[in-house]
Every structure is written in structure tokens, then in C-alpha cells.
Amino acid sequence: SHARAIDGNSLLMLAAYKARFEMLREIYQAGADLFHKNAKGQNVADILFALHDKQLADVGLPDEEAFLIGCENDDVDIVSECIHAGTDINSTNCDGLSGLGLACYFNCPNVASVLCRHKADPNLYAR
């Protein structure tokens, strides 16, 4: 059973509301659901952005969206932050393109190099 606070907020969400970012990482690492939605339809990423103008990667949490955007924009810093935070290096977008696939498609050699050094799967294909 998962503990839920008022309005369906999880403990992870309460830490996000209060900007307790170290606690947020610890609760996540203990197994909290990053994608749970409260009664307002918000998840942790929504709360962080709305209240603190931060993305998941900014507070050290896995962030597939920021990772994939970084891959298509040759943003080595964002991609490296996301990898360090535990984002799946083989995450795919809605078209089935992986980060490495996006880096190749959008001619982003710096990110492609980082992904290859971190052992991204070169055999993932778009749907």
C-alpha cells in the first residue's frame, strides 16, 4: 500500500511542494512512483515546474523528456545530467527514436559521442 496525503499527493509530491530536493531524491530512491498523479492531475514534474521553475533533472531525478530534448539539440550538459540522475540511456520518444537515434537524425555529434561512451544501444530502431 502506498501512503497518500490530502488530494492524492504522495510523499514525493509533498517534498516537491516544499522544495525539499534532497528529501525528494531520497524518497524517489526508496521506490516512490515518479509518475503518480494527484487529484488535480499533476505529477511531480508538474509541481516542480509550476512552483519552482525546475525540471526533474534540475533536482537530480531521472528526466526522459529533458534527456531526449538534449539529445536532439546536442546539449551535452543536459544529457550528462540526466544520465547521472539515472535516466534510461535507451529511452525513446513517441516515434520510437532513442536518444542516440535523435542525435544521429539531428546531426548532434557531441551528444552521440557521450551516448556511445555510456553504452547506448546502437541497435534500437524507430517504429
Side-chain angles (χ1 to χ4, degrees), residues 24-25 28 34-35 43-49 53-72 75 77-93 99 102 115:
L24 186 72
R25 287 187 294 277
Y28 169 74
L34 200 55
F35 302 104
N43 63 25
V44 171
D46 299 327
I47 293 165
L48 285 171
F49 187 74
D53 197 28
K54 294 192 178 293
Q55 303 293 331
L56 291 170
D58 295 332
V59 297
L61 294 177
D63 191 339
E64 288 183 6
E65 183 177 1
F67 172 76
L68 294 170
I69 291 169
C71 289
E72 68 185 45
D75 191 331
D77 292 338
I78 288 290
V79 170
S80 297
E81 273 182 39
C82 290
I83 292 169
H84 179 72
T87 302
D88 180 357
I89 198 164
N90 294 310
S91 300
T92 58
N93 68 7
L102 289 167
L115 296 175

